[in-house]
Short mmCIF file of all heavy atoms in Angstrom, two decimals:
data_model
loop_
_atom_site.label_atom_id
_atom_site.label_comp_id
_atom_site.label_asym_id
_atom_site.label_seq_id
_atom_site.Cartn_x
_atom_site.Cartn_y
_atom_site.Cartn_z
N ILE Y 356 -11.99 -107.25 186.47
CA ILE Y 356 -11.16 -107.19 185.25
C ILE Y 356 -12.08 -107.25 184.03
O ILE Y 356 -11.92 -106.45 183.09
CB ILE Y 356 -10.16 -108.36 185.21
CG1 ILE Y 356 -9.09 -108.20 186.30
CG2 ILE Y 356 -9.46 -108.43 183.86
CD1 ILE Y 356 -8.13 -109.37 186.43
N TYR Y 357 -13.04 -108.17 184.05
CA TYR Y 357 -13.91 -108.35 182.88
C TYR Y 357 -14.71 -107.07 182.61
O TYR Y 357 -14.73 -106.57 181.49
CB TYR Y 357 -14.85 -109.53 183.13
CG TYR Y 357 -15.80 -109.80 182.00
CD1 TYR Y 357 -15.32 -110.34 180.81
CD2 TYR Y 357 -17.15 -109.54 182.12
CE1 TYR Y 357 -16.21 -110.60 179.74
CE2 TYR Y 357 -18.02 -109.81 181.07
CZ TYR Y 357 -17.56 -110.32 179.87
OH TYR Y 357 -18.41 -110.57 178.85
N VAL Y 358 -15.31 -106.54 183.66
CA VAL Y 358 -16.14 -105.30 183.46
C VAL Y 358 -15.22 -104.12 183.13
O VAL Y 358 -15.52 -103.33 182.23
CB VAL Y 358 -16.98 -105.03 184.72
CG1 VAL Y 358 -17.70 -103.71 184.60
CG2 VAL Y 358 -17.99 -106.15 184.90
N GLY Y 359 -14.12 -104.01 183.84
CA GLY Y 359 -13.22 -102.85 183.68
C GLY Y 359 -12.57 -102.78 182.33
O GLY Y 359 -12.29 -101.70 181.80
N THR Y 360 -12.30 -103.94 181.71
CA THR Y 360 -11.59 -103.93 180.42
C THR Y 360 -12.54 -103.99 179.21
O THR Y 360 -12.18 -103.66 178.11
CB THR Y 360 -10.58 -105.09 180.31
OG1 THR Y 360 -11.28 -106.31 180.54
CG2 THR Y 360 -9.44 -104.94 181.28
N ARG Y 361 -13.77 -104.43 179.45
CA ARG Y 361 -14.70 -104.58 178.29
C ARG Y 361 -15.83 -103.59 178.26
O ARG Y 361 -16.39 -103.31 177.22
CB ARG Y 361 -15.27 -106.00 178.28
CG ARG Y 361 -14.24 -106.99 177.83
CD ARG Y 361 -14.73 -108.40 178.05
NE ARG Y 361 -13.63 -109.32 177.95
CZ ARG Y 361 -13.38 -110.06 176.89
NH1 ARG Y 361 -14.19 -110.00 175.85
NH2 ARG Y 361 -12.34 -110.87 176.87
N PHE Y 362 -16.23 -103.09 179.42
CA PHE Y 362 -17.40 -102.20 179.46
C PHE Y 362 -17.05 -100.84 180.10
O PHE Y 362 -17.31 -99.81 179.53
CB PHE Y 362 -18.55 -102.87 180.25
CG PHE Y 362 -18.89 -104.24 179.73
CD1 PHE Y 362 -18.37 -105.37 180.33
CD2 PHE Y 362 -19.70 -104.37 178.63
CE1 PHE Y 362 -18.66 -106.63 179.84
CE2 PHE Y 362 -20.02 -105.62 178.11
CZ PHE Y 362 -19.51 -106.75 178.72
N CYS Y 363 -16.45 -100.90 181.25
CA CYS Y 363 -16.22 -99.70 182.03
C CYS Y 363 -14.90 -99.04 181.65
O CYS Y 363 -13.96 -98.99 182.45
CB CYS Y 363 -16.25 -100.06 183.53
SG CYS Y 363 -16.66 -98.65 184.55
N LEU Y 364 -14.82 -98.59 180.41
CA LEU Y 364 -13.55 -98.11 179.86
C LEU Y 364 -13.24 -96.72 180.42
O LEU Y 364 -14.09 -96.01 180.91
CB LEU Y 364 -13.62 -98.09 178.33
CG LEU Y 364 -13.99 -99.46 177.75
CD1 LEU Y 364 -14.26 -99.36 176.24
CD2 LEU Y 364 -12.90 -100.49 178.03
N ASN Y 365 -11.92 -96.39 180.32
CA ASN Y 365 -11.43 -95.21 181.01
C ASN Y 365 -11.70 -93.91 180.21
O ASN Y 365 -10.77 -93.17 179.89
CB ASN Y 365 -9.96 -95.39 181.29
CG ASN Y 365 -9.41 -94.37 182.28
OD1 ASN Y 365 -10.17 -93.84 183.07
ND2 ASN Y 365 -8.12 -94.09 182.19
N HIS Y 366 -12.93 -93.68 179.84
CA HIS Y 366 -13.31 -92.43 179.22
C HIS Y 366 -14.79 -92.16 179.54
O HIS Y 366 -15.41 -92.95 180.28
CB HIS Y 366 -13.02 -92.43 177.71
CG HIS Y 366 -13.56 -93.61 176.98
ND1 HIS Y 366 -14.90 -93.83 176.82
CD2 HIS Y 366 -12.91 -94.65 176.35
CE1 HIS Y 366 -15.08 -94.93 176.10
NE2 HIS Y 366 -13.88 -95.47 175.81
N ALA Y 367 -15.32 -91.09 178.99
CA ALA Y 367 -16.65 -90.65 179.45
C ALA Y 367 -17.82 -91.42 178.84
O ALA Y 367 -18.97 -91.23 179.21
CB ALA Y 367 -16.80 -89.15 179.17
N GLN Y 368 -17.53 -92.31 177.88
CA GLN Y 368 -18.67 -93.09 177.27
C GLN Y 368 -18.46 -94.58 177.38
O GLN Y 368 -18.24 -95.28 176.38
CB GLN Y 368 -18.81 -92.74 175.78
CG GLN Y 368 -19.37 -91.38 175.50
CD GLN Y 368 -18.26 -90.43 175.08
OE1 GLN Y 368 -17.26 -90.83 174.49
NE2 GLN Y 368 -18.41 -89.17 175.41
N PRO Y 369 -18.42 -95.12 178.61
CA PRO Y 369 -18.28 -96.58 178.77
C PRO Y 369 -19.51 -97.28 178.21
O PRO Y 369 -20.55 -96.64 177.93
CB PRO Y 369 -18.17 -96.76 180.27
CG PRO Y 369 -18.82 -95.56 180.86
CD PRO Y 369 -18.60 -94.44 179.91
N ARG Y 370 -19.42 -98.61 178.08
CA ARG Y 370 -20.53 -99.35 177.44
C ARG Y 370 -21.58 -99.78 178.48
O ARG Y 370 -21.81 -100.98 178.69
CB ARG Y 370 -19.96 -100.56 176.73
CG ARG Y 370 -18.97 -100.21 175.65
CD ARG Y 370 -18.37 -101.43 175.00
NE ARG Y 370 -17.37 -101.03 174.02
CZ ARG Y 370 -16.21 -101.67 173.86
NH1 ARG Y 370 -15.90 -102.73 174.57
NH2 ARG Y 370 -15.35 -101.25 172.97
#
Side-chain angles (χ1 to χ4, degrees):
I356 293 175
Y357 181 71
V358 173
T360 55
R361 287 169 193 258
F362 306 97
C363 204
L364 304 172
N365 194 24
H366 51 67
Q368 289 102 30
R370 299 178 184 140

